[in-house]
Amino acid sequence: MKAVRFHEFGGSAVLRYEDVDRPVPGAGQVLVRVAATSFNPVDDHIRAGVLAKMIPIALPYVPGIDLAGTVDELGAGVTGVQVGDRVVAMLPLDSAGGAAEYVAVPAESLAPAPRTIELVDAAALPLTGLSAWQTAFELAELKAGQSVLVNGAGGAVGSLVVQLAVDAGAQVTAVSTPRHADRLRGYGAHRVVGPLDLAAGPAAVGGPFQAVVNHVRVSPEELAQLTAYVADGGVAASTAGPIPEDPARGVRSANLWVRGDGAQLAELVGKVDAGKLELHIAAHRAVADLAAVHEDAGAGRLPGKTVVLAP
């Protein structure tokens, strides 16, 4: 079968589109015929070796953490899924494998694919959706009636956090560039503002807020300024570096390390099918073009969430 692999860490040029052996599903695994994966920034970090100590991987490595596809074969002991089922999954970061024709997946990582969107587009959901879910509900513990500031709301994860928070009954102030404003209002954001002027303080954007969710990579000094945007007793949740706590005001902080979770992914799929969660996909590219996708991402040329189509 065809797959993209890298045999050593480095820039996008280490990615090779080559012939590899088709995997055989082991006990508790499912072989999936890949329809698509998608690009996530962590793919770039893994390829470059930046995360080698945190995520030990065996080389050669097939990138692609997201998966949408069709069940082709069942390993020993697998129940609850059948050959021909359309599925999605977040693959384990240390093994990944989505940029290929086939991938062997732990059965517990799988969820039924959404019925209301194209199967290839469902590849945009797993990692970003789980990041949004875990940030919103496990870290920020969002509840109905709470005020929440989402910084970086126009991005792949931030867009989903906005929608999940609105669906949960929270009052959302979305911070993003003007080109995303109409889309964020369409998601139900109470207020949409441009990039934060941190020096202006929380009152300038209607704060402070019971929860601040940050997806924007800024300096430690700027992260520290975000603490003031959290109301007394509130929480700061971040996927882009730690926001300092303020124990005197009861402000706590939490940072995300996303994990695969088939049950949570199934909840997200249900929200997609119910029309409560919309995926914003900027581009579709062929897996043979994955090295160029990585190059574009590194140069800041990627237009947004990019789905990568299997051979």
Side-chain angles (χ1 to χ4, degrees):
M1 70 171 191
K2 289 289 188 181
V4 174
R5 299 195 297 184
F6 58 87
H7 296 251
E8 63 279 332
F9 296 118
S12 59
V14 303
L15 293 167
R16 307 180 192 172
Y17 186 55
E18 57 192 12
D19 292 311
V20 303
D21 292 335
R22 175 172 158 166
V24 176
Q29 291 186 321
V30 172
L31 185 70
V32 175
R33 173 68 168 95
V34 180
T37 184
S38 81
F39 176 81
N40 293 286
V42 70
D43 295 321
D44 179 86
H45 302 333
I46 293 172
R47 186 215 67 238
V50 174
L51 299 177
K53 291 184 178 179
M54 297 178 66
I55 309 173
I57 64 172
L59 298 175
Y61 177 92
V62 179
I65 296 161
D66 287 322
L67 170 70
T70 305
V71 173
D72 190 82
E73 185 180 342
L74 305 180
V78 173
T79 59
V81 64
Q82 298 180 351
V83 171
D85 285 353
R86 289 158 40 109
V87 293
V88 290
M90 176 183 158
L91 302 175
L93 274 66
D94 60 354
S95 59
E101 290 186 72
Y102 293 88
V103 61
V105 186
E108 65 269 18
S109 299
L110 295 172
R115 302 182 306 274
T116 55
I117 62 175
E118 295 293 332
L119 181 58
V120 293
D121 288 345
L125 176 65
L127 187 145
T128 54
L130 289 169
S131 295
W133 183 281
Q134 291 163 20
T135 302
F137 299 127
E138 294 183 355
L139 303 188
E141 300 179 353
L142 293 182
K143 299 177 179 65
Q146 288 186 317
S147 62
V148 55
L149 178 79
V150 182
N151 192 29
V157 178
S159 293
L160 298 180
V161 170
V162 169
Q163 294 176 76
L164 290 172
V166 168
D167 184 55
Q171 187 175 68
V172 178
T173 295
V175 181
S176 189
T177 57
R179 67 189 180 98
H180 298 298
D182 288 344
R183 178 164 60 89
L184 293 168
R185 291 189 188 95
Y187 294 156
H190 172 71
R191 180 188 292 110
V192 180
V193 298
L196 285 180
D197 177 3
L198 289 168
V205 289
F209 303 87
Q210 289 165 296
V212 169
V213 179
N214 178 59
H215 305 293
V216 179
R217 293 205 172 274
V218 294
S219 69
E221 293 75 19
E222 289 170 307
L223 284 170
Q225 287 180 280
L226 281 172
T227 305
Y229 284 73
V230 185
D232 293 358
V235 58
S238 179
T239 63
I243 298 171
E245 296 186 333
D246 186 348
R249 295 197 298 114
V251 173
R252 64 181 181 87
S253 177
N255 304 293
L256 180 72
W257 184 257
V258 65
R259 68 181 191 283
D261 188 312
Q264 287 181 355
L265 187 52
E267 293 273 1
L268 289 158
V269 167
K271 290 185 180 296
V272 171
D273 283 339
K276 297 179 178 179
L277 202 60
E278 177 183 327
L279 304 178
H280 181 65
I281 297 167
H284 296 81
R285 303 274 287 271
V287 71
D289 196 33
L290 187 59
V293 172
H294 278 237
E295 183 179 355
D296 288 346
R301 295 191 299 262
L302 214 60
K305 187 62 176 174
T306 298
V307 167
V308 179
L309 306 175

